[in-house]
Amino acid sequence: DAKKAAKKAAAEHQKKLEATVKAAYDVDPATALAPFLARPFSKNGIDAVAAPSTVKQLSAEDKKWIWKLLEGNMRPVFGEEVWKAREGKDKKNEMVDDDAR
């Protein structure tokens, strides 16, 4: 029956998505970003070092700076109406989630 086949395909697709998300959570950011973290950045008078951290390790000032950067880059992509209605809140919640890295 077509409904059963569609339902089964949707369930399999959902399973694959969940496996992909789980695999992403299993990745250690320090390992995945090792080539970028291994050396400091120095160019045009800017010296910086990237380091992975969890949300809990960030100061309120750091979170505010990150949010302004994210918002400034993403608001134009989603558009003002969509950002205000949903995406802005969703992104902010994702950013401060305990699992965020």
Side-chain angles (χ1 to χ4, degrees):
D1 159 74
K3 277 188 178 182
K4 284 184 181 180
K7 202 172 190 177
K8 184 177 179 181
E12 287 175 12
H13 180 69
Q14 183 65 30
K15 223 177 204 178
K16 286 181 183 178
L17 290 175
E18 289 171 2
T20 301
V21 170
K22 183 186 178 319
Y25 277 116
D26 289 344
V27 172
D28 174 21
T31 302
L33 297 171
F36 302 101
L37 302 175
R39 55 196 151 107
F41 173 86
S42 184
K43 190 172 186 178
N44 297 330
I46 297 173
D47 297 313
V49 176
S53 64
T54 63
V55 172
K56 293 176 185 175
Q57 294 170 318
L58 297 173
S59 69
E61 186 179 317
D62 288 340
K63 289 177 191 175
K64 191 174 185 178
W65 181 87
I66 292 167
W67 174 248
K68 284 184 178 184
L69 179 66
L70 178 101
E71 183 178 36
N73 285 299
M74 298 305 289
R75 186 184 288 256
V77 172
F78 286 102
E80 197 65 32
E81 285 184 35
V82 174
W83 185 262
K84 282 185 178 179
R86 185 188 78 245
E87 283 300 324
K89 292 174 191 166
D90 289 349
K91 297 293 177 216
K92 196 161 206 169
N93 288 337
E94 289 171 9
M95 189 183 92
V96 297
D97 187 88
D98 286 344
D99 288 331
R101 303 180 261 172

